[in-house]
Amino acid sequence: MKEFIAEPCTTDLYFLGECCRWDEARDELYWVDVHEGHFFRAKADHTTIDVVRRYDLDGNVSALAPLVERDDGWILAMNRSLWLLGESGELREIADVEGHGGDAMMLNDGAADPWGSFWVGSMAANEEPGRDSVYRFRPSTGAQRMFGDVTISNGIGWSPDRTTLYFVDSGPGAIHMYDVDDRGEISRPRLFAQFDTASEGTPDGLCVDSEGFVWVAVWGGYEVRRYAPSGELAARVSVSTAQPSCCAIGGANGTTLYITTAQEDLPASTLAHEPDAGRLFAADVGVTGRPLDPYRHSSRN
């Protein structure tokens, strides 16, 4: 099994860094600081990170994907709704996904699929087991509930051949997999990997590389893991702080794994010994990522 060590690559600290994405069309790295409402765009060359734009938004920003025409902006999950963010910063709500749940519910992680739809999961503020759902949003159909009985919806990604969907439910510490047909419909859910959350930490955000292996950030586990499509553990990336939250592969060399981390829920005693908590990390893992799937908002794109 391969072992890597990630290095911190930002001086700024983020309370809840999340939604790490590499957009090869822009040659930019994206990430968010959820509770601060910040969305960052940066040029990235291994551990050299140059932020080119920060969007300050009024809410908890938890997931995003670029539109096909990059100049049109991004789709965002913020609070309980989906929004379109223009490149100059204008914001427009397009779907109230979890409004029926009131303040008890919020949207969490999400991503665009290879067919141009945007998938996003929800979570209960009190993390009540089985209360959450995963939705697929298309302009023509709105937000369609794809499955429920989820506790903390998190990482989601598709295999390079588009035949498998991977999904993290952090509550029970499980990564699930689904068969995917040529229209993007899912079937046959089953367990891909199970964590003992008390001793190993909890699976969080994930990405899929060009070889079809799954990289998952382990919240509370000081690492990112790489799993083969068979479910076999293939590599570990050590991180010097407890809460890796999400990961993406890209950068100028195409093979850098970027990792967001968080300070949220860490006691002062832990933060005193982990000065890098909340920073962005990087490690060259020698494999490229899948191209970032964009969201298709109109027939024009």
Side-chain angles (χ1 to χ4, degrees):
M1 182 172 64
K2 292 184 177 180
E3 302 276 353
F4 303 92
I5 299 175
E7 304 172 67
C9 54
T10 57
T11 55
D12 289 342
L13 303 172
Y14 310 107
F15 185 68
L16 179 52
E18 261 289 2
C19 194
C20 195
R21 305 283 189 266
W22 174 254
D23 187 352
E24 71 288 340
R26 284 183 179 268
D27 287 329
E28 287 184 354
L29 183 69
Y30 303 145
W31 72 94
V32 303
D33 192 351
V34 174
H35 301 312
E36 299 300 319
H38 297 324
F39 161 35
F40 298 89
R41 297 167 48 197
K43 296 298 182 182
D45 186 355
H46 192 53
T47 58
T48 301
I49 305 293
D50 295 316
V51 174
V52 298
R53 180 71 188 261
R54 187 184 85 180
Y55 297 91
D56 300 328
L57 305 168
D58 187 19
N60 292 329
V61 183
S62 57
L64 61 89
L67 272 62
V68 175
E69 297 292 339
R70 296 304 198 263
D71 291 346
D72 290 343
W74 299 265
I75 184 171
L76 299 176
M78 185 169 67
N79 300 331
R80 294 173 294 278
S81 297
L82 296 178
W83 307 72
L84 291 181
L85 174 68
E87 191 166 13
S88 61
E90 67 275 16
L91 194 64
R92 176 166 64 91
E93 186 177 19
I94 57 172
D96 182 357
V97 179
E98 277 285 358
H100 57 277
D103 291 340
M105 300 297 294
M106 67 189 78
L107 296 180
N108 204 35
D109 208 350
D113 70 17
W115 296 267
S117 302
F118 189 75
W119 294 61
V120 65
S122 64
M123 65 175 290
N126 64 359
E127 300 182 6
E128 180 182 343
R131 187 172 179 183
D132 309 336
S133 301
V134 172
Y135 301 89
R136 180 178 62 192
F137 180 78
R138 293 170 172 167
S140 59
T141 59
Q144 177 185 6
R145 185 176 181 267
M146 301 303 291
F147 55 88
D149 195 24
V150 177
T151 298
I152 303 176
S153 61
N154 248 311
I156 189 167
W158 287 260
S159 61
D161 64 5
R162 304 182 177 189
T163 63
T164 305
L165 167 69
Y166 298 97
F167 169 73
V168 172
D169 185 352
S170 295
I175 307 176
H176 301 283
M177 61 192 302
Y178 294 76
D179 290 346
V180 183
D181 68 18
D182 58 6
R183 297 175 296 113
E185 302 298 333
I186 59 173
S187 62
R188 208 166 72 89
R190 56 204 185 276
L191 187 67
F192 176 69
Q194 179 65 58
F195 285 61
D196 180 341
T197 57
S199 62
E200 297 179 275
T202 302
D204 199 332
L206 64 76
C207 67
V208 182
D209 66 31
S210 59
E211 298 176 355
F213 286 60
V214 178
W215 299 79
V216 60
V218 186
W219 181 275
Y222 292 87
E223 66 181 9
V224 174
R225 295 182 179 182
R226 185 190 192 215
Y227 287 93
S230 64
E232 179 184 2
L233 182 60
R236 297 177 188 267
V237 183
S238 296
V239 182
S240 63
T241 187
Q243 294 178 165
S245 55
C246 194
C247 55
I249 300 174
N253 66 352
T255 60
T256 300
L257 181 76
Y258 291 99
I259 307 162
T260 51
T261 68
Q263 296 184 334
E264 185 181 49
D265 297 334
L266 290 179
S269 57
T270 300
L271 290 171
H273 291 93
E274 297 181 13
D276 293 328
R279 299 190 197 279
L280 190 71
F281 284 73
D284 190 337
V285 295
V287 64
T288 56
R290 280 190 65 244
L292 184 62
D293 292 313
Y295 166 65
R296 297 181 182 274
H297 185 63
S298 70
S299 58
R300 181 174 70 84
N301 56 28

